[in-house]
Amino acid sequence: MSRRIEIELTSARPDGSWTWRAAGAREPKGVLDGALLPSGAKTGDVYRADAEMELEGMTISSVADPKAKATKGGLLELIPSNKPFEEVTQQLAKRERGDRPRGDRGDRPGGDRQRRDRPAGDRPRGDRPGGDRPGGDRPGGDRPRGERPAGGRPARDGDGADRRGPRPERRGRPNFTPPPELPQRPKAKRLKPGRAHRNLVLAELPEAQRPVAERALQGGIPAVRQAVNEQNARLKAAGQEEIPATGLLSMAEQLLPKLRVAEWLDRADAAQADIDELDLRDLRSVVAASDDPMVARDESTREIAVALKQALVTKQEKELQLWFEDIDAAISVGRVIRALKLSSLPPKAGVRFPVDIAKRLADAAIASLTTDSPSDRWSAVLEATAFSPIRAHVQPVARPEQPTDELLATVKRLASLLPQIATLFGIEATQGATTPKPLRPAKPTSTTKKAPPPPPPKPLRPPAPEATAVVEPEAAAEPEADAEPDAAA
């Protein structure tokens, strides 16, 4: 019996034969004739051999080198053709559903024969009506069982009438076309002030005054006082001498006007750099901070403050027109909830809502609150209406037939803002009840790592006797400084 194995040459004998072993084995297995090996064979070569299985062992009948490449004569020659290439296309004919009725089985073998060789009425039917005649009481019971009307077998009710009727186009959820999406305006940029002016002021101060100035920038005089008390508490616990708080507070009061001006200039530069895309709230906060007496008395801030106030007036008018346009566009496409939420977020407090837009918005809200509208739709519209300036003009005709518990809870929570709707549901608004706040969406869980804690603050050093000399004369002579010039001594 012949078997194909892989062998490894182990040694050559003087008579021209070779000893071999199975590839990967440890000891020699047998001997083969050296004439079967290709020229250049050496110890360690692996060959593919045909072995004859005999009682005394295996005899190698032929050896082939698995790494030998095929000769050129064994390759197939590609003969080019002069005929032009013609593409082959195939198109399958579409078969309509009515091309071959289900009942038409004349082309199938045995389609017209009876199920049995006996007549249909020979089989006993027990107590079923019509059991004594072929086909029973079924309509068309006397026709052969193999014949069916064209178009298949219709479903029938007890009277024999077709009860299926026209098949609906699609079963399941109703076909609902949502209103089109509105283009979103680009999100306004938030104010990101730099530290150029503050760093310049801190660089001009002596090393002993910088910790006090940094604490004054963070929280003013109360922050400096708290830092002094905490440091004195640690020194007292360690049995060391406490630092005088009066001199440090006087130093902070003298440095604070210059620090406030530098901080405002950093914010004003950032606002002017992004004046067109800046958020209106941030621009309004910068303009409001320019009225601070410490900032307003400095000559370097007056011209910038006037320019920012003019930019604020222009930006408020522009944002107001965009606000009206967004509400009108939301009403036009049927997004009532979005229009109600936009109406509750005016760009300027105390602005008068236009009468024509208010009437359109109220009519759209009433049209959304119908008796056949789902309860979740009622809850969403009422939640947006309660904080809209047109909430008093929204009066639905009737409530839903079966309001859910969630809808009743929403009406009860908003009863103080929507008393006319609470009365429609039979809920009485409590006098003096707390005004509810708008629901906020749940914040997504953040997977980011927490920022490392800030480094410990630098200890506040007691002022040296010559510390008051570094304060400029105009800063020390300002009327808001309560301490005397020699208070730090």
Side-chain angles (χ1 to χ4, degrees):
M1 180 179 180
S2 180
R3 180 182 177 186
R4 180 67 61 88
I5 61 174
E6 289 188 355
I7 63 174
E8 180 183 356
L9 300 181
T10 56
S11 64
R13 289 186 172 185
D15 58 354
S17 61
W18 287 74
T19 59
W20 62 271
R21 62 184 176 186
R26 182 176 300 178
E27 297 180 355
K29 184 71 175 180
V31 181
L32 59 87
D33 188 3
L36 299 176
L37 297 175
S39 60
K42 60 183 182 298
T43 301
D45 289 350
V46 177
Y47 295 96
R48 188 173 299 162
D50 291 334
E52 297 290 341
M53 307 298 294
E54 300 177 353
L55 295 177
E56 298 178 357
M58 290 188 296
T59 302
I60 303 300
S61 59
S62 63
V63 176
D65 188 359
K67 298 181 180 180
K69 296 183 179 179
T71 61
K72 185 176 180 180
L75 299 178
L76 297 178
E77 182 180 1
L78 296 177
I79 303 176
S81 176
N82 297 328
K83 296 181 179 180
F85 176 74
E86 296 182 1
E87 297 181 355
V88 179
T89 59
Q90 182 181 8
Q91 183 176 3
L92 301 178
K94 297 181 180 180
R95 190 181 71 177
E96 302 293 339
R97 296 188 61 182
D99 287 351
R100 188 179 67 182
R102 294 180 57 188
D104 187 8
R105 304 195 178 193
D107 56 345
R108 297 187 181 182
D112 292 336
R113 74 169 184 265
Q114 298 291 338
R115 181 177 298 179
R116 300 291 184 184
D117 294 337
R118 63 186 179 183
D122 293 345
R123 191 187 325 179
R125 296 181 178 269
D127 298 334
R128 293 176 57 188
D132 54 348
R133 59 187 180 87
D137 291 339
R138 297 183 306 166
D142 52 351
R143 60 176 172 83
R145 189 178 293 270
E147 298 179 0
R148 290 186 178 181
R153 180 178 180 180
R156 301 181 182 277
D157 54 11
D159 297 335
D162 189 356
R163 56 180 171 84
R164 287 193 306 180
R167 175 178 290 184
E169 296 182 0
R170 183 180 179 184
R171 297 178 181 178
R173 296 189 303 173
N175 187 11
F176 173 71
T177 303
E181 289 287 346
L182 292 174
Q184 298 290 336
R185 300 191 184 277
K187 191 174 182 180
K189 292 184 179 181
R190 300 308 304 267
L191 185 66
K192 295 181 180 180
R195 297 183 60 88
H197 294 276
R198 281 174 283 185
N199 292 339
L200 183 61
V201 173
L202 293 176
E204 295 176 353
L205 298 178
E207 186 68 25
Q209 296 183 3
R210 291 179 185 176
V212 179
E214 292 176 355
R215 283 304 183 102
L217 278 173
Q218 294 178 1
I221 301 300
V224 177
R225 184 181 292 107
Q226 181 182 359
V228 172
N229 295 336
E230 292 177 355
Q231 186 171 349
N232 284 337
R234 291 193 298 267
L235 293 175
K236 184 177 181 180
Q240 300 179 5
E241 184 180 359
E242 300 181 6
I243 60 176
T246 306
L248 294 176
L249 294 177
S250 177
M251 182 190 304
E253 291 176 352
Q254 294 177 359
L255 296 176
L256 191 58
K258 186 180 295 186
L259 296 175
R260 287 281 178 84
V261 171
E263 183 181 13
W264 185 87
L265 288 175
D266 287 334
R267 300 184 64 195
D269 290 346
Q272 287 182 331
D274 298 329
I275 193 66
D276 294 332
E277 297 84 9
L278 186 63
D279 192 280
L280 187 61
R281 294 169 296 178
D282 293 341
L283 180 58
R284 190 180 288 119
S285 65
V286 176
V287 173
S290 65
D291 295 333
D292 187 353
M294 295 184 184
V295 178
R297 277 196 292 265
D298 195 284
E299 295 181 358
S300 61
T301 62
R302 295 174 184 175
E303 185 178 353
I304 302 177
V306 172
L308 290 178
K309 289 180 180 179
Q310 295 177 356
L312 177 61
V313 174
T314 305
K315 193 172 184 63
Q316 284 184 159
E317 294 296 331
K318 180 180 178 181
E319 293 291 334
L320 197 61
Q321 294 299 325
L322 295 178
W323 181 53
F324 293 150
E325 292 177 4
D326 291 345
I327 297 176
D328 185 75
I331 298 174
S332 301
V333 300
R335 292 196 170 273
V336 182
I337 298 178
R338 176 176 174 81
L340 290 170
K341 290 183 178 180
L342 286 174
S343 65
S344 61
L345 301 173
K348 181 180 179 181
V351 63
R352 186 177 182 85
F353 201 72
V355 179
D356 54 341
I357 300 181
K359 185 177 184 307
R360 292 182 57 200
L361 185 56
D363 294 342
I366 295 174
S368 300
L369 302 176
T370 58
T371 55
D372 55 349
S373 298
S375 296
D376 54 352
R377 175 70 175 178
W378 272 76
S379 299
V381 174
L382 293 182
E383 189 70 39
T385 305
F387 306 97
S388 175
I390 53 97
R391 60 176 175 267
H393 303 282
V394 178
Q395 178 62 56
V397 179
R399 69 172 195 173
E401 298 178 356
Q402 296 180 353
T404 59
D405 296 339
E406 291 78 4
L407 175 57
L408 295 177
T410 300
V411 175
K412 186 176 181 180
R413 186 176 68 87
L414 304 174
S416 59
L417 297 176
L418 302 173
Q420 74 280 9
I421 298 180
T423 305
L424 184 65
F425 282 82
I427 298 176
E428 184 178 358
T430 306
Q431 296 292 336
T434 305
T435 304
K437 296 182 179 180
L439 297 179
R440 295 183 179 180
K443 295 183 179 180
T445 56
S446 177
T447 57
T448 57
K449 297 182 180 180
K450 294 183 178 180
K458 298 180 182 179
L460 302 180
R461 301 178 184 179
E466 65 276 5
T468 56
V470 301
V471 182
E472 297 183 0
E474 60 270 17
E478 289 181 353
E480 68 271 11
D482 298 332
E484 295 295 332
D486 56 347

